[in-house]
Amino acid sequence: MKKSEKISFALLGLLAVGLMVVALRYDLALDHMLFSPQNPFAIIMEAFCFWPLYLPFALLGIVWANLYPGDVRRILGDLFVVLTFGALLFLSLPNLAKRGLTNGYSSPLGILLTFVLTLAAIKLAGRWQKATLLRMEFLAKFGILFCILNNVIIHLMKGLWTRMRYDDMAKLGDFSSFTPWVRFGEVAGNTSFPSGHTAAACGILVLLLLPRLFAKLRGKELLLLVICYGYIALSGFSRLVIGRHYLSDTVAAATIITLLFLALTALPIFRKKLEETNRKADAIE
């Protein structure tokens, strides 16, 4: 990791600490101010912002479909792509209808979009050279591991904190069940802290690995960092607007998953596999 990246992550860490301190006092007040459950931006982000965490499954599929044409992995690849896009659309499109942004959800539309995305993705990857496919395979496998660990950590923490969501209290017209983020285990069955959608949005952090895989992207590390955390910030902000989370829920999720990303990329086995991938890809080019 470059010195500039280390400084950037250190500054992000300081910002996170500051926001968590601010949240101790203003968590509830911020949600009172921002709450707008019919906001189109917030509804769209709720429906789609979690996609980055699961797209590595589709990426692995399109890589296998093109890298191993005469192998069982070709069949598995096609299956991965269809199931990934199908599952994501099945979750996203009905949510738009549930929130009233669309008139309804059409299963045929979801099926059509699944196959359109599948064919487009596989055809696009068909233009990639073998070296690129090898590098993207590494990226996909890392992203899948990142996804699994992300879900395990966030759901374990949700079970510990059991913090009540803002919109649930808003429906009751009673905010007496609100608890600051430093208290946990007080409102059983609730899952506000930390924010799962914000944690899933952190799946976009796999883009930060691109400069380590592709020489032409070296020097773009800070740009990618801005893009990634801009997306994460917008996703977290949308969760406040729609009333499903507080500031501390979103900042905690982003911080925890950033630490997970940094920990995984610091492992010796990660560096070894990265070097092996680049060496194999360089030998082909």
Side-chain angles (χ1 to χ4, degrees), residues 11-284:
L11 291 175
L12 285 170
L14 290 174
L15 176 62
V17 170
L19 290 174
M20 292 300 282
V21 172
V22 169
L24 276 174
R25 182 176 179 87
Y26 295 108
D27 250 350
L28 188 58
L30 281 171
D31 271 36
H32 282 326
M33 180 176 65
L34 295 173
F35 186 49
S36 179
Q38 297 306 312
N39 182 285
F41 164 75
I43 293 173
I44 291 171
M45 291 299 289
E46 180 179 57
F48 295 101
C49 76
F50 64 94
W51 278 43
L53 188 62
Y54 301 96
L55 287 177
F57 288 93
L59 177 60
L60 184 63
I62 64 175
V63 167
W64 280 5
N66 287 280
L67 191 58
Y68 308 107
D71 194 306
V72 68
R73 282 173 287 188
R74 167 62 196 265
I75 299 172
L76 288 175
D78 290 337
L79 189 61
F80 281 175
V81 183
V82 171
L83 290 178
T84 301
F85 284 131
L88 291 174
L89 288 167
F90 177 77
L91 292 170
S92 297
L93 296 180
N95 195 62
L96 295 177
K98 178 184 175 182
R99 290 285 186 179
L101 196 61
T102 59
N103 292 329
Y105 167 64
S106 168
S107 295
L109 175 62
I111 294 171
L112 175 63
L113 288 175
T114 296
F115 282 98
V116 168
L117 287 174
T118 297
L119 291 174
I122 292 175
K123 186 173 182 180
L124 174 64
R127 300 178 181 178
W128 294 347
Q129 296 179 349
K130 187 176 180 180
T132 299
L133 289 169
L134 285 173
R135 290 185 167 102
M136 297 305 280
E137 184 181 29
F138 173 86
L139 191 71
K141 288 179 178 178
F142 175 87
I144 290 171
L145 174 63
F146 189 45
C147 172
I148 293 169
L149 295 177
N150 183 316
N151 275 290
V152 169
I153 292 170
I154 293 300
H155 284 90
L156 282 175
M157 293 190 68
K158 283 179 177 289
L160 286 173
W161 254 262
T162 64
R163 191 184 196 188
M164 194 167 183
R165 296 179 184 272
Y166 178 88
D167 63 343
D168 288 335
M169 289 186 285
K171 291 174 186 176
L172 298 172
D174 179 9
F175 295 96
S176 61
S177 296
F178 171 77
T179 54
W181 66 267
V182 290
R183 287 159 53 187
F184 56 92
E186 296 193 17
V187 193
N190 288 272
T191 57
S192 184
F193 185 95
S195 167
H197 274 71
T198 306
C202 290
I204 199 172
L205 292 177
V206 297
L207 295 182
L208 298 180
L209 299 182
L210 290 175
R212 305 191 198 187
L213 290 163
F214 298 96
K216 64 182 179 181
L217 290 176
R218 285 166 195 164
K220 305 293 185 183
E221 290 86 358
L222 289 181
L223 174 61
L224 288 170
L225 197 73
V226 170
I227 291 171
C228 288
Y229 281 98
Y231 181 78
I232 293 166
L234 286 174
S235 299
F237 178 74
S238 72
R239 304 307 286 154
L240 273 68
V241 173
I242 211 163
R244 295 299 282 166
H245 289 288
Y246 309 96
L247 174 64
S248 56
D249 296 341
T250 61
V251 174
T255 302
I256 292 163
I257 303 307
T258 295
L259 291 174
L260 171 63
F261 175 81
L262 293 175
L264 288 175
T265 54
L267 291 174
I269 190 170
F270 167 83
R271 295 175 181 174
K272 180 182 177 181
K273 293 295 183 182
L274 178 64
E275 290 173 1
E276 288 178 358
T277 298
N278 282 330
R279 188 164 56 249
K280 288 179 182 178
D282 289 341
I284 295 172

Side-chain angles (χ1 to χ4, degrees), residues 1-10 208 221-222 225:
M1 186 184 295
K2 291 184 176 180
K3 183 178 179 181
S4 59
E5 291 179 275
K6 293 179 180 179
I7 293 173
S8 297
F9 278 114
L208 298 180
E221 290 86 358
L222 289 181
L225 197 73

